[in-house]
Structure formats: C-alpha cells, structure tokens
Amino acid sequence: MSVQHGSILTSQTQAGPFAGLATRLFGGNLRRADWIAFALLAPTLIFFSIGVLYPLFETIRVSFLDWTGLSQPKPAGFSNYIKLFNDANFWNALRVTLTWTLACTGISVFIGWSVALISGLAPKQTAPFRVAIFAAYGISETASGLMWLGILQPDFGLLNGVLRIVGLEGWASPWLGEPSTAIWGVVAAYVWTQAGLPLLTCYAAIQAIPKSQIEAAHMDGATHFQILRYIMAPLSLPGVRIAIFINLLNSLKAFDMIHILTAGGPIRSTETVGYFMYQESVVYFKQGYGAASTVVLLLAVIVCSIPLILDKASESK
Amino acid sequence: MGACYENIEFGICARNCRYDICGGTAFAADKELVIFNWLGGSERDLIIALEEGFTAKYPDYEIKDINPAAGGDDPRSGIRSAMLSGEQFDLLLNTWPSFEKELVDADLIRPIDAAWEQYGWSSALNDSWRNLATYHGKTYGAYFIAGNRSGVWYRPDTLAKAGIAGEPTQWKDFLSSFSALKEIGMLPVSIGARSWAQTEWFENALLRTAGPAFAKELSEHKVAWTDDRVKETFRNLRDMLEADCCAEPGAMLSSHWTDAADAVLKNKKAGFMLIGSWANQRAKNEYSLTPVKDYSFMQFPVIKPEYGNAMSVDGKNFLVMKQAKNPEGAELFIDFVLSKEGAAIIAEQNLATPSAHVDPSSYDPIVRKYAQILPLVDVFFVLDDLLPAELSGEFRVGLQKFLRDPSDANIDAVTAALEAKASELYQ
C-alpha cells in the first residue's frame, strides 16, 4: 500500500499537477477540473495583474518617454538609460547603495544570528531580549527614524549627550551632517529595525535542530562553545541564508529611514538608487528618467533574488 | 448648462454675465468653486478664512477645498500627482514662478488679462506684481500674499547684551558684530543647511553683490553660473564664514531653518538668522513672543551701496485652471481676495498683501515694517523658486559643498557644476 502511494506521489511530482494543461489549453480541450483551477486562481491572477504586472509594464513603458507629468509625453528611445549611465549622481547612488546594502545586510544578519545562537544555548533566559529585538522590527521605519533623529542630533542628541557625560566629548559629532558619518548613522538606525528578522529565522533554524544531537554532544563532553561552533552554527545556516536574502531585498528597497534621517544628504552621501529614483520621479518629476532608474533597481532586485529562487526550487525537488 | 459655459469666452464676461446669458438662479447648482489649497499651518488658516469671507459675501457659492494628503518636502509633487490622477479644480494656489511657467507651457492654466481689465485689478496690484505672472505677453496669476525673504531675524535683548548698538545694516558692520556675540558665548549666525535654507544666504548676498537685474539674468541662464559676479558672491559669503560666523559645517548640514529659529529666537544661543517672513508666525504662535519687543528683523546688510535697495520676496497667487468648471467663479474669488475685504482678512492673519487696498494700520508691527519697505525697493522673486526643480536641487547641494569648503578651488567646482546642470536644462 505504502509503495503504491509512493509511486502515485512520485509520478505526480515528476509530471506536475497540470501535466498536459498547455496541450489541452491550446487544443481547446480543457477539462472541468482545469476550469475549476482557473476559477480558483482567477482572483489572485487579477489582483497580481492589477497590482504588479500593470505597474511593471507601465514603468518600463514610461522609461522610454520624456515626460514631466504635465506636458505631453514624447518618445525618448533609450536616451533615459544612456543619460542614466552617464549621470555622476546615479553612479554615486549605485556606490552608496552597494555600501548601504552590504552594511545593512551584513550587520543585521550578524547581530540576529549571534543573538539567535546565544539564545539557542539559553532559550528561557534570553526570551525578553529576543522579544525586545524583534519588537523593533515591528515598529514603523518612520517612527524609528524620528527616534534615531533624536539620538543623532548634534546639539541635544542622546548619543552626543552620553559621550559628553562619559568624558568623550571629542568624539561627539554632527553624525548626520558629515558625509563620512551620515551613511553609518542611517545604517545603525536601519540595522536596529532589521535585526529582528534574522534573529527570528536563525532562531527557528536552531529550534529545528534535533535535541538528541545536542544531548549527544553534551554526553561526549562538548563545551557550550563547541556545541555552538560545530552544531548550532552550521545547522542554522538555512535560516541565515533566508535572512540574508530578505534583508538584502529590504535594504535595496529602503526609503523611509533615509528620508527621515538625511533625505539623501548631506551632499548626496546617503542617496541610494531607491532615493535617487524618488528624487527624479517625485521631486523633479522627470517621469521617464525616474522610471529608467526604477527599472535598473528592479533588475538589481531580481538578480539578488535569483539565488533564493533557485535555492527554493532545488529544495522543492 | 455646460454648453452655455463653453459658449462663454473666458475672461470677457462681466462679473454676473452668466446670469444674463443663461438665466438667473438656474446656475445655483453650478456655483461650486474647487480650490486646490496645499498650504499648511497658519497660511492654510488664511486661505480658509478667505474662503469663508467669500462665501459670506457670495452666499450662493460653495467652496470645496482640496488639500493633498502628501507631497513630501516639495508640494509641487503633490500637485502634479493630483493632476495626473485627474483631480478637477478651478483654482490652484501657486508660489513657484518656474512651476507656473511649466503650467503655461503645458497649456494647463488660463490667461486672466480680460478679467484683470474687467475687474480693474491694476488698482490693487502694480505692474511689477503683474509682470511676475506674465508669460509670452499674457498674465496668468494674481499675487495676493507677499513675503520678505531678506529679513535677518534677531532678538533685541541679545544685541543689547552683546553691546551691539542698533542693527548692523552694512556688511562690514555685520561681520564685525560677530566678535561681540562670541564674547557673550553666542554663535553669531545660525544656518540650517540640511535642505534648502542655505540658499537664502546666497540669494541675498547675490542681490547685494550683483543686483536684481543680474539675478534675473542668472535665473534665466542668460549669464553663466561661472560668471565672476557669482563667484564674488561666494567670496563675500566666505568672508562671513572666515569671520567665524557659524557652527561647524556638519552641524549646519544636519539642521533645518526651524533649528536656527529655535537657536536665535527661542533659546538665545545664536545672534542672527535669515529666513522668510513666516518666522513671524513661528515666533508669535510657537514661542509666544511679542513682536518688536522680543524679536525683530533687519534687511540683509548692504554689501555694495548701488544694490542696497534690493529685496528678495516671495509671493502666492491663484491660477485659474484650463479645466476649470467655474472660471467665472474663480475670477470672482480672485477679485474678492484682492479687494478691501480680502486684504483685511490677510492682514488679520499677520501676512502682508501686495494689494493696495490693504489698510497698513491693521498689520502687526513686524508685517507693517516690511510692508512699508515693499513699495520702496527693487523686488526680486526668490531665486530658488525661479529655477527648474532639478537645478534648484543642484543649487542646494552646491551650497552645502561650499559651506564645507569655501576655497577658491571649490567655488570654481561648485559654479562649474551649476553651470553644467543649467546648460543641460535650459537647452
């Protein structure tokens, strides 16, 4: 019996649940089950088309126009893309995006993973900290941004105030006013909001490790550090991988925090491609040019997503 | 009824012509006037008060006030978004001549010359105000609020404490007043350069260094941003920085004009700040200060005597949309705003109007001070609002770069970058 079930399952997985659907669809020979499947999928497909596909194709179309939103749009061919790649401000935005994305992803995943590993050793004792860190992930970026604005203010900010109290007045700085430090000020604020997700995914991966493995290691005389180093760390890597991809995509799309803290300044030192896109499309209303930068950002997001999609596809096989 | 409207050539009708042509109160249902009012705070209160005044005088009218929910730092994006999404309105409030020109070029607003003559608005607004809203020989807007953008704000008690007798009206005196302020532990000048307020300093220094005619040519890119008079303006500002006027660049680049206002007018930590006349509202409403007694302003110090009479101003006008369903009502509203009743409402809200129908005695002392100067000076509309938005963005960043490094080499680099952007945009 079990062998028979297994064979049915195998044959369905290999051929796919919609095996022959394309042939039936184009041959005008749809079955009743096919119609039901389409009917069930229809709401999703309709909303996906309205909410994702239409704006996507419209953005691509607009990227080939010269349009301020007021005047009549004029065809622009590839000129927006050519201009984009010759625009020093866009290259600056790409450089800032690279720094921003790597820093935000690397630091937030590192913090989340580290806390998850420590929490794996002492789940009960660390529960309040996990809740506190994850709670920050649930706070809106705007609210967090305003809070961090207060922390990083040059005159009456909390950070400079603490530095002055502990005798490190020389270290006090207008963090968000100096191009060299502004990006790190915004990264710190963003990491604070984002570290909760890696903590969650990594901790879930650690929880999935069979307890018998950890008990066996204990019985073999392994120290806490050895358990952490040789069992928990490698076995929690699937959670780390998911956290990296999600944080990477979130960082690429980040806007609110940058807008609140620096508005891309000073002197464009925190202007990511996402913010550049906003400036061009919404502030300068160069719709075509802004759309071209949106398409480039979209391509970057897709490229970053491919490994995760491939990874998920191989897992499902 | 719609056909009737279409048959009326806009702007030629007399005030109540539609009654004559189409018949009395049959139009009552069409007496809705839709106003796109993106203002906030006390200025929004003023528009509401004007709308209430209008409907009190013309009870047949009903006003729908549209206030965009979002628009970021620049309300123009909110206006554009509303237009793109098909929002219908009769009147648009505007403050940017560059945006007005865009609307004219896109054929989205109507000329109001016929209404101007019909209602006799020249008795309210002189030609310089009319010229500000004239494009290709046609007038498109009527200014009803005027603001002083050359006001350097201070507290009299701060100057007295520093032993500064009287307002330093000359540039040299202004720079030398810094040492007295520093001696009492104050920052001489507070500049909030995080976003745009740094441009106020450049624009006023430009007016005082090269005059309004040159500034106009620069705004139209008839002279280059690399012109030596632009560089001379930067060098004059450098004198101010070298006189140790300000906080370190990072502190300037991370603060807004509101922080500067707090430092000068509220916390008494700095001596002077330069910002538009809305500082008056902030001082009165948020700091509960008494005008003149607790705070005041002086005009930007004179750098070259031949340009000592120039004044940077801003203003707000109403534009009648091409798509307006009720253009006659829109004109009637403009007429009300410029009238004695409208001017009285504006004065009551502590704002100045360029309308000659205002009674100056109804102004508060601060508004009266700059309203009295207004007819006597060469006015020039604030440069940042005359520039295309993209050049304005480059202008703001360029000034941030200058504040960090006011060397000759950097002045050359900043002006070259501005010229490159202007050349691209004014093609």
Side-chain angles (χ1 to χ4, degrees), chain B residues 325-345:
Chain B
K325 287 183 177 167
N326 191 354
E328 294 83 7
E331 287 175 354
L332 190 60
F333 185 80
I334 292 175
D335 185 54
F336 173 76
V337 167
L338 295 176
S339 70
K340 199 173 175 182
E341 298 107 302
I345 293 171

Side-chain angles (χ1 to χ4, degrees), chain A residues 101-117:
Chain A
T101 308
L102 292 178
C104 289
T105 307
I107 299 170
S108 56
V109 171
F110 175 76
I111 292 173
W113 190 25
S114 304
V115 176
L117 288 171

Side-chain angles (χ1 to χ4, degrees), chain A residues 61-295:
Chain A
R61 186 182 74 83
V62 171
S63 75
F64 292 101
L65 298 175
D66 177 10
W67 187 31
T68 64
L70 296 178
S71 54
Q72 286 297 315
K74 293 178 214 153
F78 284 93
S79 65
N80 285 326
Y81 290 94
I82 294 165
K83 193 179 160 202
L84 195 64
F85 286 104
N86 285 309
D87 186 339
N89 292 339
F90 179 69
W91 285 105
N92 171 68
L94 278 178
R95 273 193 300 275
V96 172
T97 304
L98 190 69
T99 309
W100 162 262
T101 308
L102 292 178
C104 289
T105 307
I107 299 170
S108 56
V109 171
F110 175 76
I111 292 173
W113 190 25
S114 304
V115 176
L117 288 171
I118 295 164
S119 302
L121 290 175
K124 282 183 185 167
Q125 292 83 344
T126 54
F129 300 104
R130 289 200 306 276
V131 170
I133 292 171
F134 189 72
Y137 185 70
I139 298 173
S140 86
E141 277 185 39
T142 307
S144 306
L146 289 171
M147 187 191 81
W148 277 90
L149 199 58
I151 292 172
L152 299 171
Q153 279 282 348
D155 294 330
F156 49 85
L158 181 68
L159 180 58
N160 283 349
V162 170
L163 288 171
R164 286 184 189 113
I165 288 169
V166 299
L168 295 172
E169 192 160 357
W171 290 21
S173 166
W175 303 102
L176 300 176
E178 283 294 337
S180 57
T181 54
I183 184 78
W184 299 109
V186 189
V187 165
Y190 192 69
V191 164
W192 184 81
T193 66
Q194 295 295 306
L197 187 76
L199 169 62
L200 189 76
T201 58
C202 296
Y203 188 68
I206 290 167
Q207 292 294 93
I209 299 170
K211 283 196 171 54
S212 57
Q213 282 192 22
I214 294 170
E215 283 168 6
H218 272 302
M219 288 173 72
D220 288 345
T223 62
H224 284 310
F225 178 76
Q226 285 170 323
I227 290 170
L228 197 142
R229 167 73 180 82
Y230 295 107
I231 297 176
M232 287 184 176
L235 292 179
S236 61
L237 282 178
V240 175
R241 208 158 49 230
I242 292 168
I244 287 173
F245 286 121
I246 296 176
N247 278 52
L248 198 67
L249 295 179
N250 283 347
S251 306
L252 279 170
K253 294 186 295 181
F255 175 82
D256 303 21
M257 188 65 82
I258 298 169
H259 189 59
I260 298 282
L261 289 181
T262 59
I267 314 175
R268 299 199 174 96
S269 59
T270 58
E271 191 173 285
T272 59
V273 175
Y275 205 83
F276 176 89
M277 183 181 82
Y278 161 78
Q279 287 276 101
E280 297 296 331
S281 302
V282 180
V283 179
Y284 306 149
F285 244 78
K286 291 160 68 185
Q287 297 290 289
Y289 196 55
S293 63
T294 307
V295 171

Side-chain angles (χ1 to χ4, degrees), chain B residues 132-160:
Chain B
L132 280 175
T134 299
Y135 303 90
H136 314 304
K138 291 178 180 171
T139 309
Y140 287 86
Y143 281 90
F144 67 101
I145 301 179
N148 176 17
R149 295 291 279 265
S150 294
V152 178
W153 299 83
Y154 65 90
R155 287 185 63 111
D157 56 354
T158 298
L159 297 197

